[in-house]
Amino acid sequence: MRSGIFSEKYGLQEEIKVNRKSGVILGIALIIFLVISIIGAALMTVVMSKARQTNDLEKRTQAYFFARSGVEIAREYVNEKRKNDEQFFDEKVIVLHGNISSENNGELSFDFQDVTDVWPKDNVRASFEASASSFRNNEIVTAVWRDNEYTNFLSSGNAGDMTRTLAFMCSEGS
């Protein structure tokens, strides 16, 4: 009885109940905070993954269009050269490389190299792939050579760390 009178006199029992309630509320608050943190981290991971996928898709698409542009630029070059000399490409392997930049008021600047002595005509693809690292700083790299009645184009587009390579065969008049 003594402890009952002491507790009633000094209000000790009510204080113990309040402390127990505070501990439960603190525990619930920590669990809710932990759940919200886990959900937030999961959402952030999903969003970052989607952003990375979108960025990769954009680079792949840009690399593809660089490669297509390389084919079109090389076709124009071939057409211009063939106007003056019909036999110009019959025995040659030409590589054009350069960048498409808007810094020069839209003017394109490409280097054309005759690699006939370096790249065997019967295996241009292997030579093209073997020297890909030397052209890594160029957005567009295109090889052009003639086989029988076809003009062949092997074009690579580089955008960031993505590379796309396209091969085209064109016959006379196409």
Side-chain angles (χ1 to χ4, degrees), residues 106-124:
E107 293 180 25
L108 303 176
S109 175
F110 290 94
D111 294 323
F112 295 88
Q113 294 178 340
D114 184 352
V115 293
T116 308
D117 297 335
V118 183
W119 292 8
K121 205 170 174 188
D122 60 340
N123 205 357
V124 173

Side-chain angles (χ1 to χ4, degrees), residues 4-40:
I5 296 172
F6 181 76
S7 345
E8 285 176 17
K9 189 174 180 183
Y10 295 108
L12 187 61
Q13 208 149 9
E14 285 181 28
E15 188 177 318
I16 291 172
K17 286 182 183 177
V18 170
N19 283 341
R20 283 185 189 162
K21 286 182 183 177
S22 300
V24 170
I25 292 174
L26 179 62
I28 291 172
L30 286 173
I31 289 172
I32 290 173
F33 178 74
L34 181 65
V35 168
I36 290 173
S37 296
I38 290 171
I39 291 171

Side-chain angles (χ1 to χ4, degrees), residues 44-151:
M44 188 174 72
T45 303
V46 168
V47 168
M48 293 302 290
S49 173
K50 292 294 182 185
R52 196 174 308 113
Q53 286 176 351
T54 302
N55 189 32
D56 287 349
L57 177 63
E58 182 180 335
K59 285 181 184 178
R60 276 194 308 271
T61 304
Q62 188 176 22
Y64 169 79
F65 282 112
F66 281 158
R68 284 295 303 253
S69 297
V71 170
E72 295 303 319
I73 293 165
R75 282 182 60 198
E76 282 297 313
Y77 179 74
V78 167
N79 290 338
E80 288 298 315
K81 287 293 187 181
R82 295 196 82 202
K83 282 180 187 175
N84 299 330
D85 183 5
E86 288 261 338
Q87 307 301 315
F88 182 77
F89 279 100
D90 288 348
E91 297 300 322
K92 294 187 179 205
V93 178
I94 303 292
V95 173
L96 74 93
H97 55 91
N99 295 317
I100 296 177
S101 73
S102 58
E103 296 172 2
N104 301 334
N105 296 327
E107 293 180 25
L108 303 176
S109 175
F110 290 94
D111 294 323
F112 295 88
Q113 294 178 340
D114 184 352
V115 293
T116 308
D117 297 335
V118 183
W119 292 8
K121 205 170 174 188
D122 60 340
N123 205 357
V124 173
R125 181 178 288 275
S127 300
F128 186 85
E129 290 171 359
S131 55
S133 62
S134 63
F135 293 114
R136 192 74 185 132
N137 293 330
N138 296 294
E139 292 171 336
I140 295 173
V141 180
T142 304
V144 183
W145 72 100
R146 190 142 170 81
D147 272 341
N148 303 323
E149 72 266 8
Y150 295 105
T151 303

